[in-house]
Amino acid sequence: MGAFIPQEIIRQKRDGQTVSDADIERFVAGITSGEVADAQISAFAMAVFFNGMSAEEGAALTLAMRDSGDVMNWQSLGFDAGAPIVDKHSTGGVGDKVSLMLAPIVAACGGLVPMISGRGLGHTGGTLDKFEAIEGYDPYPSIDRFAEIVRTIGCSIIGQTGELAPADKRFYGVRDVTATVESIPLITASILSKKLSAGLGSLVMDVKFGTGAFMPNYAASKELAENIVRVACAAGTPTRALLTDMNQVLGRTAGNAVEVVEAIEFLVNPATADARLMEVTLALAAHMLVIAGIEYSVEIATEKARQSLASGKAAELFEQMVTAQGGTPNILSNYQATLKVAAKAYAIKPKQAGIVTGMDTRSIGMAVVAMKGGRIDPKASIDHSVGFTDICQIGDKVDADAPLAIVRCHSDEQAREAIKAVQSAVVVADIKEAPLPVISEVIEG
């Protein structure tokens, strides 16, 4: 192998050529070590932006970034070869608390779910932020403790450490300031390099589209889903993706503590759960069980997941996981007393009575951020107690007695701004329109 010359790799991609696995590995190693300059990272990213990558190139980039840091080896931690280690990743949305219920549901059905989650980004909420609304919850246990929780309970949800895919952290920082964030091959490698560092046997993606999604355009979301499945399978991890609707808030809450409350009530009393939230959760659980080899059909797996809720087993495992990670003991019976939800509650009345026909879901997410329930500065702390409950959905009738939502906040000023935001975000008319199906498509590898 000759001398490493970063600009030659950039030239190859600029000219639409295929870059070899070895050259991609050397380039990523240079990102990690500092041998590759920011200007060279930027040039390579722009070349990929315009010329794309094959599935094989994407797999090489993903694996190189994965291997730039720690990678979980479950067999070295005492797990059997072929253990059903499976995870789910969502591209993010407003009110998306699915992971809180999904991990214990799959664990109750025999899966092993080592979920490495993130914080909120922009208008979207983060699973880690929701769990930190639970007093004492430790999102950063040692690797040995993480493995022990997965072994004994079946699931553990933790945060990303600094040793996880460090090449991606630097690469993303450059992309963020060079107008190359939207590159589908680079988004794919960024997502998968972090997810696959958990040593997964299989993965299910929840790729969202609509007004509250990272990629609101359906065609672009589908392209991303297809590319993730192709690249992950090429990298040796069986993967499938569900395209799910984010043209309205998922469930009836948006915030942190309020979403934990909805998740617990979903687990404890599934008969009263929001129908769209239930459909997405059960579908993701079923596909995780099938792709992990636990069940052979989605129909049987769906019923098994439903039974884990009805029996209370999933709720029990959620409580065990929270306790194992230092969170409030017996949270299922005392969550209303221990989860801190802002004391002031204001009903948000519609400007006119009628039927909800549309929603600017992103604006509702940003209204949570404006109350400090999300971050403007990535290093800032957040207020876990604020948010919205009883959020209307498309097709609901709203009037003075049936509000658009209830805002939970600390002051009249916060309430005024939140009320204006929600009233502007929700479209009310005299006609009733059927909402989009919550799951539009399943993409298999």
Side-chain angles (χ1 to χ4, degrees):
M1 187 178 294
F4 172 51
I5 305 175
Q7 55 266 41
E8 281 300 293
I9 297 171
I10 296 166
R11 180 189 60 77
Q12 290 176 39
K13 185 44 62 182
R14 181 202 67 190
D15 293 345
Q17 299 174 20
T18 298
V19 182
S20 70
D21 292 2
D23 279 343
I24 288 174
E25 290 169 11
R26 296 169 81 186
F27 196 87
V28 171
I31 292 174
T32 309
S33 69
E35 186 179 357
V36 174
D38 283 359
Q40 292 169 320
I41 298 172
S42 174
F44 181 77
M46 192 63 74
V48 172
F49 184 93
F50 284 113
N51 292 318
M53 281 185 141
S54 67
E56 292 71 26
E57 286 177 301
L61 180 61
T62 295
L63 293 174
M65 292 205 299
R66 180 200 69 179
D67 294 341
S68 67
D70 292 340
V71 180
M72 295 289 293
N73 183 325
W74 294 99
Q75 285 182 259
S76 72
L77 291 165
F79 288 72
D80 294 336
I85 296 170
V86 60
D87 197 5
K88 158 262 182 187
H89 178 77
S90 170
T91 55
V94 181
D96 182 4
K97 71 279 296 175
V98 168
S99 293
L100 281 71
M101 302 88 74
L102 182 64
I105 288 171
V106 174
C109 296
L112 298 172
V113 188
M115 189 174 287
I116 299 175
S117 63
R119 300 192 182 280
L121 181 65
H123 68 282
T124 64
T127 297
L128 195 59
D129 295 325
K130 303 183 208 311
F131 271 105
E132 288 185 334
I134 300 172
E135 187 174 354
Y137 190 91
D138 178 12
Y140 300 109
S142 69
I143 292 298
D144 286 342
R145 180 60 179 154
F146 179 41
E148 180 62 20
I149 295 169
V150 173
R151 180 185 294 106
T152 57
I153 297 170
C155 60
S156 178
I157 300 178
I158 69 169
Q160 299 169 356
T161 71
E163 298 305 313
L164 185 68
D168 175 65
K169 183 176 181 180
R170 185 174 174 220
F171 201 171
Y172 186 88
V174 173
R175 289 169 55 212
D176 192 33
V177 295
T178 56
T180 52
V181 168
E182 296 84 355
S183 166
I184 283 178
L186 298 182
I187 294 170
T188 298
S190 181
I191 290 172
L192 291 178
S193 63
K194 293 189 286 288
K195 272 308 194 186
L196 301 190
S197 67
L200 303 179
S202 54
L203 174 67
V204 172
M205 288 291 305
D206 179 2
V207 179
K208 299 193 176 296
F209 64 90
T211 60
F214 168 65
M215 301 183 79
N217 178 275
Y218 184 86
S221 293
K222 182 175 179 179
E223 183 183 355
L224 175 61
E226 290 174 337
N227 196 63
I228 287 173
V229 170
R230 277 196 305 268
V231 170
C233 290
T237 302
T239 298
R240 61 181 58 173
L242 278 64
L243 280 159
T244 67
D245 175 55
M246 188 42 71
N247 282 298
Q248 54 184 313
V249 173
L250 186 59
R252 298 283 179 167
T253 59
N256 291 294
V258 293
E259 290 192 46
V260 178
V261 170
E262 184 175 16
I264 290 173
E265 291 176 349
F266 180 109
L267 290 165
V268 171
N269 192 2
T272 64
D274 176 76
R276 292 175 74 253
L277 182 60
M278 178 66 75
E279 185 177 351
V280 171
T281 304
L282 288 179
L284 288 166
H287 283 281
M288 289 171 72
L289 294 172
V290 170
I291 201 169
I294 296 169
E295 294 295 340
Y296 293 99
S297 77
V298 170
E299 293 75 20
I300 292 172
T302 300
E303 184 56 30
K304 187 169 186 176
R306 197 184 302 277
Q307 286 301 316
S308 80
L309 286 168
S311 69
K313 180 65 174 176
E316 179 186 338
L317 292 184
F318 175 86
E319 183 170 80
Q320 289 178 14
M321 178 182 69
V322 168
T323 303
Q325 292 186 220
T328 304
N330 305 313
I331 193 168
L332 297 182
S333 58
N334 66 9
Y335 67 93
Q336 291 178 322
T338 58
L339 284 166
K340 295 180 174 63
V341 176
K344 291 183 178 289
Y346 300 79
I348 304 177
K349 299 177 181 180
K351 293 181 179 179
Q352 66 180 61
I355 306 294
V356 176
T357 60
M359 186 180 293
D360 180 356
T361 314
R362 183 182 187 280
S363 292
I364 294 176
M366 290 308 298
V368 176
V369 174
M371 291 188 287
K372 300 189 185 304
R375 294 175 182 81
I376 298 173
D377 178 350
K379 297 178 181 178
S381 60
I382 65 173
D383 183 347
H384 295 93
S385 69
V386 298
F388 298 101
T389 66
D390 302 278
I391 301 170
C392 62
Q393 294 193 348
I394 293 173
D396 286 355
K397 182 180 178 180
V398 292
D399 54 33
D401 297 319
L404 302 175
I406 294 172
V407 57
R408 302 300 298 260
C409 58
H410 301 296
S411 69
D412 294 344
E413 182 180 357
Q414 276 188 331
R416 282 193 296 270
E417 293 302 313
I419 289 168
K420 285 194 294 185
V422 173
Q423 287 176 334
S424 297
V426 178
V427 180
V428 178
D430 295 328
I431 58 172
K432 185 165 185 173
E433 295 183 3
L436 290 169
V438 66
I439 301 168
S440 67
E441 198 167 346
V442 177
I443 297 168
E444 298 187 28

Short mmCIF file of all heavy atoms in Angstrom, two decimals, residues 316-358:
data_model
loop_
_atom_site.label_atom_id
_atom_site.label_comp_id
_atom_site.label_asym_id
_atom_site.label_seq_id
_atom_site.Cartn_x
_atom_site.Cartn_y
_atom_site.Cartn_z
N GLU A 316 -43.54 -4.45 34.01
CA GLU A 316 -42.65 -4.93 35.07
C GLU A 316 -41.18 -4.75 34.69
O GLU A 316 -40.35 -4.31 35.51
CB GLU A 316 -42.96 -6.39 35.35
CG GLU A 316 -42.10 -7.05 36.41
CD GLU A 316 -42.38 -8.54 36.52
OE1 GLU A 316 -43.47 -8.99 36.13
OE2 GLU A 316 -41.48 -9.25 37.01
N LEU A 317 -40.83 -5.09 33.44
CA LEU A 317 -39.44 -4.96 33.00
C LEU A 317 -39.03 -3.49 32.89
O LEU A 317 -37.88 -3.14 33.17
CB LEU A 317 -39.24 -5.67 31.67
CG LEU A 317 -39.37 -7.20 31.71
CD1 LEU A 317 -39.06 -7.80 30.34
CD2 LEU A 317 -38.44 -7.81 32.77
N PHE A 318 -39.95 -2.61 32.48
CA PHE A 318 -39.65 -1.18 32.46
C PHE A 318 -39.26 -0.72 33.86
O PHE A 318 -38.25 -0.03 34.05
CB PHE A 318 -40.86 -0.40 31.96
CG PHE A 318 -40.68 1.10 32.02
CD1 PHE A 318 -40.07 1.78 30.98
CD2 PHE A 318 -41.12 1.83 33.12
CE1 PHE A 318 -39.90 3.17 31.04
CE2 PHE A 318 -40.95 3.21 33.19
CZ PHE A 318 -40.34 3.88 32.14
N GLU A 319 -40.05 -1.11 34.86
CA GLU A 319 -39.76 -0.69 36.23
C GLU A 319 -38.43 -1.27 36.71
O GLU A 319 -37.64 -0.57 37.36
CB GLU A 319 -40.89 -1.14 37.15
CG GLU A 319 -40.71 -0.68 38.59
CD GLU A 319 -41.96 -0.94 39.41
OE1 GLU A 319 -42.16 -2.10 39.84
OE2 GLU A 319 -42.73 0.01 39.62
N GLN A 320 -38.16 -2.53 36.37
CA GLN A 320 -36.89 -3.13 36.77
C GLN A 320 -35.70 -2.41 36.13
O GLN A 320 -34.67 -2.20 36.78
CB GLN A 320 -36.88 -4.61 36.38
CG GLN A 320 -37.81 -5.47 37.21
CD GLN A 320 -37.81 -6.92 36.75
OE1 GLN A 320 -36.94 -7.34 35.98
NE2 GLN A 320 -38.78 -7.70 37.21
N MET A 321 -35.84 -2.04 34.86
CA MET A 321 -34.76 -1.33 34.17
C MET A 321 -34.51 0.02 34.83
O MET A 321 -33.35 0.41 35.07
CB MET A 321 -35.11 -1.15 32.70
CG MET A 321 -34.06 -0.36 31.90
SD MET A 321 -34.54 -0.10 30.18
CE MET A 321 -35.90 1.06 30.37
N VAL A 322 -35.58 0.76 35.11
CA VAL A 322 -35.42 2.07 35.75
C VAL A 322 -34.72 1.93 37.10
O VAL A 322 -33.78 2.67 37.42
CB VAL A 322 -36.80 2.75 35.92
CG1 VAL A 322 -36.70 3.97 36.83
CG2 VAL A 322 -37.35 3.17 34.55
N THR A 323 -35.14 0.96 37.89
CA THR A 323 -34.54 0.74 39.21
C THR A 323 -33.08 0.33 39.08
O THR A 323 -32.21 0.82 39.83
CB THR A 323 -35.31 -0.33 39.98
OG1 THR A 323 -36.68 0.07 40.10
CG2 THR A 323 -34.72 -0.54 41.36
N ALA A 324 -32.77 -0.55 38.11
CA ALA A 324 -31.40 -1.02 37.93
C ALA A 324 -30.46 0.12 37.54
O ALA A 324 -29.25 0.05 37.82
CB ALA A 324 -31.36 -2.11 36.85
N GLN A 325 -31.00 1.16 36.92
CA GLN A 325 -30.17 2.29 36.52
C GLN A 325 -30.30 3.47 37.46
O GLN A 325 -29.97 4.61 37.11
CB GLN A 325 -30.47 2.66 35.07
CG GLN A 325 -29.99 1.57 34.12
CD GLN A 325 -30.10 1.88 32.64
OE1 GLN A 325 -30.46 1.03 31.84
NE2 GLN A 325 -29.76 3.10 32.25
N GLY A 326 -30.75 3.19 38.68
CA GLY A 326 -30.74 4.21 39.74
C GLY A 326 -31.95 5.08 39.80
O GLY A 326 -32.01 6.01 40.62
N GLY A 327 -32.95 4.81 38.96
CA GLY A 327 -34.14 5.65 38.93
C GLY A 327 -35.10 5.35 40.08
O GLY A 327 -34.89 4.42 40.87
N THR A 328 -36.15 6.13 40.16
CA THR A 328 -37.14 6.02 41.22
C THR A 328 -37.65 4.60 41.36
O THR A 328 -38.19 4.03 40.41
CB THR A 328 -38.34 6.94 40.91
OG1 THR A 328 -37.87 8.28 40.72
CG2 THR A 328 -39.35 6.91 42.04
N PRO A 329 -37.50 3.98 42.55
CA PRO A 329 -38.05 2.62 42.75
C PRO A 329 -39.57 2.64 42.67
O PRO A 329 -40.22 3.65 42.95
CB PRO A 329 -37.56 2.25 44.15
CG PRO A 329 -36.46 3.22 44.48
CD PRO A 329 -36.79 4.47 43.74
N ASN A 330 -40.14 1.51 42.28
CA ASN A 330 -41.61 1.36 42.23
C ASN A 330 -42.27 2.48 41.44
O ASN A 330 -43.33 3.00 41.82
CB ASN A 330 -42.19 1.32 43.65
CG ASN A 330 -41.55 0.24 44.50
OD1 ASN A 330 -41.41 -0.90 44.06
ND2 ASN A 330 -41.13 0.61 45.70
N ILE A 331 -41.65 2.85 40.32
CA ILE A 331 -42.13 4.01 39.58
C ILE A 331 -43.54 3.80 39.02
O ILE A 331 -44.29 4.76 38.84
CB ILE A 331 -41.14 4.40 38.46
CG1 ILE A 331 -41.49 5.78 37.92
CG2 ILE A 331 -41.10 3.33 37.35
CD1 ILE A 331 -40.43 6.38 37.04
N LEU A 332 -43.93 2.56 38.76
CA LEU A 332 -45.26 2.33 38.20
C LEU A 332 -46.37 2.75 39.16
O LEU A 332 -47.44 3.17 38.72
CB LEU A 332 -45.44 0.85 37.85
CG LEU A 332 -44.50 0.28 36.79
CD1 LEU A 332 -44.86 -1.17 36.52
CD2 LEU A 332 -44.57 1.09 35.49
N SER A 333 -46.11 2.66 40.45
CA SER A 333 -47.15 3.00 41.43
C SER A 333 -47.02 4.42 41.97
O SER A 333 -47.97 4.93 42.58
CB SER A 333 -47.12 2.01 42.60
OG SER A 333 -45.84 2.01 43.22
N ASN A 334 -45.87 5.08 41.75
CA ASN A 334 -45.73 6.44 42.31
C ASN A 334 -45.27 7.47 41.30
O ASN A 334 -44.76 8.53 41.67
CB ASN A 334 -44.81 6.41 43.53
CG ASN A 334 -43.37 6.06 43.19
OD1 ASN A 334 -43.00 5.99 42.02
ND2 ASN A 334 -42.56 5.85 44.22
N TYR A 335 -45.44 7.19 40.01
CA TYR A 335 -44.94 8.12 38.99
C TYR A 335 -45.61 9.48 39.07
O TYR A 335 -44.96 10.51 38.81
CB TYR A 335 -45.10 7.53 37.59
CG TYR A 335 -46.53 7.37 37.12
CD1 TYR A 335 -47.15 8.37 36.38
CD2 TYR A 335 -47.24 6.21 37.40
CE1 TYR A 335 -48.46 8.21 35.95
CE2 TYR A 335 -48.54 6.05 36.97
CZ TYR A 335 -49.16 7.06 36.25
OH TYR A 335 -50.44 6.91 35.81
N GLN A 336 -46.89 9.53 39.44
CA GLN A 336 -47.57 10.82 39.48
C GLN A 336 -47.01 11.72 40.57
O GLN A 336 -47.00 12.94 40.44
CB GLN A 336 -49.08 10.61 39.67
CG GLN A 336 -49.74 9.99 38.44
CD GLN A 336 -51.21 9.74 38.64
OE1 GLN A 336 -51.64 9.33 39.73
NE2 GLN A 336 -52.00 9.95 37.60
N ALA A 337 -46.52 11.11 41.65
CA ALA A 337 -45.97 11.89 42.75
C ALA A 337 -44.51 12.26 42.51
O ALA A 337 -44.04 13.30 43.00
CB ALA A 337 -46.10 11.11 44.05
N THR A 338 -43.78 11.44 41.76
CA THR A 338 -42.34 11.64 41.66
C THR A 338 -41.90 12.34 40.36
O THR A 338 -40.86 12.99 40.36
CB THR A 338 -41.59 10.31 41.78
OG1 THR A 338 -42.04 9.42 40.75
CG2 THR A 338 -41.83 9.68 43.14
N LEU A 339 -42.65 12.18 39.28
CA LEU A 339 -42.27 12.87 38.05
C LEU A 339 -42.71 14.33 38.15
O LEU A 339 -43.88 14.63 38.37
CB LEU A 339 -42.92 12.21 36.83
CG LEU A 339 -42.28 10.89 36.39
CD1 LEU A 339 -43.19 10.16 35.42
CD2 LEU A 339 -40.91 11.14 35.77
N LYS A 340 -41.77 15.23 37.97
CA LYS A 340 -42.04 16.65 38.17
C LYS A 340 -42.60 17.26 36.88
O LYS A 340 -41.87 17.47 35.91
CB LYS A 340 -40.76 17.37 38.59
CG LYS A 340 -40.24 16.93 39.95
CD LYS A 340 -38.96 17.67 40.33
CE LYS A 340 -38.52 17.33 41.75
NZ LYS A 340 -38.18 15.91 41.90
N VAL A 341 -43.90 17.53 36.88
CA VAL A 341 -44.57 18.20 35.77
C VAL A 341 -44.91 19.61 36.22
O VAL A 341 -45.39 19.81 37.35
CB VAL A 341 -45.84 17.43 35.35
CG1 VAL A 341 -46.59 18.19 34.26
CG2 VAL A 341 -45.49 16.03 34.88
N ALA A 342 -44.65 20.61 35.38
CA ALA A 342 -44.90 22.01 35.75
C ALA A 342 -46.31 22.19 36.28
O ALA A 342 -47.28 21.64 35.74
CB ALA A 342 -44.66 22.91 34.54
N ALA A 343 -46.44 22.99 37.33
CA ALA A 343 -47.70 23.08 38.07
C ALA A 343 -48.81 23.80 37.31
O ALA A 343 -49.98 23.44 37.43
CB ALA A 343 -47.46 23.77 39.41
N LYS A 344 -48.46 24.82 36.54
CA LYS A 344 -49.50 25.60 35.87
C LYS A 344 -50.00 24.86 34.64
O LYS A 344 -49.21 24.35 33.84
CB LYS A 344 -48.96 26.98 35.48
CG LYS A 344 -48.69 27.89 36.66
CD LYS A 344 -48.24 29.27 36.21
CE LYS A 344 -48.01 30.20 37.40
NZ LYS A 344 -49.27 30.59 38.05
N ALA A 345 -51.32 24.83 34.47
CA ALA A 345 -51.94 24.14 33.34
C ALA A 345 -52.94 25.09 32.68
O ALA A 345 -53.83 25.61 33.35
CB ALA A 345 -52.63 22.87 33.80
N TYR A 346 -52.77 25.30 31.38
CA TYR A 346 -53.64 26.20 30.63
C TYR A 346 -54.21 25.46 29.42
O TYR A 346 -53.46 24.90 28.62
CB TYR A 346 -52.88 27.42 30.13
CG TYR A 346 -52.25 28.28 31.19
CD1 TYR A 346 -51.06 27.92 31.80
CD2 TYR A 346 -52.84 29.48 31.58
CE1 TYR A 346 -50.46 28.71 32.78
CE2 TYR A 346 -52.26 30.29 32.55
CZ TYR A 346 -51.08 29.90 33.14
OH TYR A 346 -50.49 30.69 34.10
N ALA A 347 -55.53 25.48 29.30
CA ALA A 347 -56.16 24.89 28.11
C ALA A 347 -55.97 25.82 26.92
O ALA A 347 -56.14 27.04 27.03
CB ALA A 347 -57.65 24.68 28.37
N ILE A 348 -55.58 25.24 25.79
CA ILE A 348 -55.37 26.02 24.56
C ILE A 348 -56.60 25.85 23.68
O ILE A 348 -56.79 24.81 23.04
CB ILE A 348 -54.11 25.55 23.82
CG1 ILE A 348 -52.89 25.63 24.75
CG2 ILE A 348 -53.89 26.38 22.56
CD1 ILE A 348 -51.60 25.12 24.13
N LYS A 349 -57.45 26.86 23.68
CA LYS A 349 -58.70 26.79 22.94
C LYS A 349 -58.47 27.15 21.47
O LYS A 349 -57.64 28.00 21.16
CB LYS A 349 -59.74 27.71 23.56
CG LYS A 349 -60.08 27.33 25.00
CD LYS A 349 -61.05 28.30 25.62
CE LYS A 349 -61.35 27.93 27.07
NZ LYS A 349 -62.30 28.87 27.71
N PRO A 350 -59.20 26.53 20.56
CA PRO A 350 -59.05 26.88 19.14
C PRO A 350 -59.65 28.26 18.87
O PRO A 350 -60.54 28.72 19.60
CB PRO A 350 -59.84 25.79 18.43
CG PRO A 350 -60.88 25.38 19.43
CD PRO A 350 -60.22 25.49 20.77
N LYS A 351 -59.17 28.90 17.82
CA LYS A 351 -59.73 30.19 17.44
C LYS A 351 -61.14 30.04 16.89
O LYS A 351 -61.92 31.00 16.89
CB LYS A 351 -58.82 30.86 16.41
CG LYS A 351 -57.46 31.27 16.98
CD LYS A 351 -56.61 31.96 15.93
CE LYS A 351 -55.27 32.39 16.51
NZ LYS A 351 -54.41 33.05 15.50
N GLN A 352 -61.45 28.86 16.39
CA GLN A 352 -62.80 28.57 15.93
C GLN A 352 -63.09 27.10 16.19
O GLN A 352 -62.18 26.27 16.22
CB GLN A 352 -62.93 28.85 14.43
CG GLN A 352 -62.07 27.91 13.56
CD GLN A 352 -62.21 28.20 12.08
OE1 GLN A 352 -61.89 29.30 11.64
NE2 GLN A 352 -62.68 27.22 11.32
N ALA A 353 -64.35 26.77 16.39
CA ALA A 353 -64.73 25.37 16.56
C ALA A 353 -64.69 24.67 15.22
O ALA A 353 -64.87 25.27 14.17
CB ALA A 353 -66.13 25.29 17.17
N GLY A 354 -64.41 23.36 15.25
CA GLY A 354 -64.38 22.61 14.01
C GLY A 354 -63.61 21.32 14.15
O GLY A 354 -63.48 20.77 15.26
N ILE A 355 -63.10 20.83 13.02
CA ILE A 355 -62.36 19.57 12.97
C ILE A 355 -60.90 19.85 12.66
O ILE A 355 -60.58 20.68 11.79
CB ILE A 355 -62.94 18.65 11.87
CG1 ILE A 355 -64.45 18.44 12.07
CG2 ILE A 355 -62.20 17.31 11.86
CD1 ILE A 355 -64.83 17.70 13.32
N VAL A 356 -60.00 19.19 13.36
CA VAL A 356 -58.57 19.34 13.08
C VAL A 356 -58.26 18.65 11.75
O VAL A 356 -58.50 17.45 11.59
CB VAL A 356 -57.72 18.74 14.21
CG1 VAL A 356 -56.23 18.82 13.87
CG2 VAL A 356 -58.00 19.44 15.53
N THR A 357 -57.72 19.42 10.80
CA THR A 357 -57.41 18.87 9.48
C THR A 357 -55.92 18.87 9.15
O THR A 357 -55.50 18.28 8.15
CB THR A 357 -58.14 19.66 8.37
OG1 THR A 357 -57.73 21.04 8.42
CG2 THR A 357 -59.65 19.58 8.55
N GLY A 358 -55.12 19.51 9.98
CA GLY A 358 -53.68 19.54 9.71
C GLY A 358 -52.91 20.09 10.89
O GLY A 358 -53.49 20.69 11.82
#
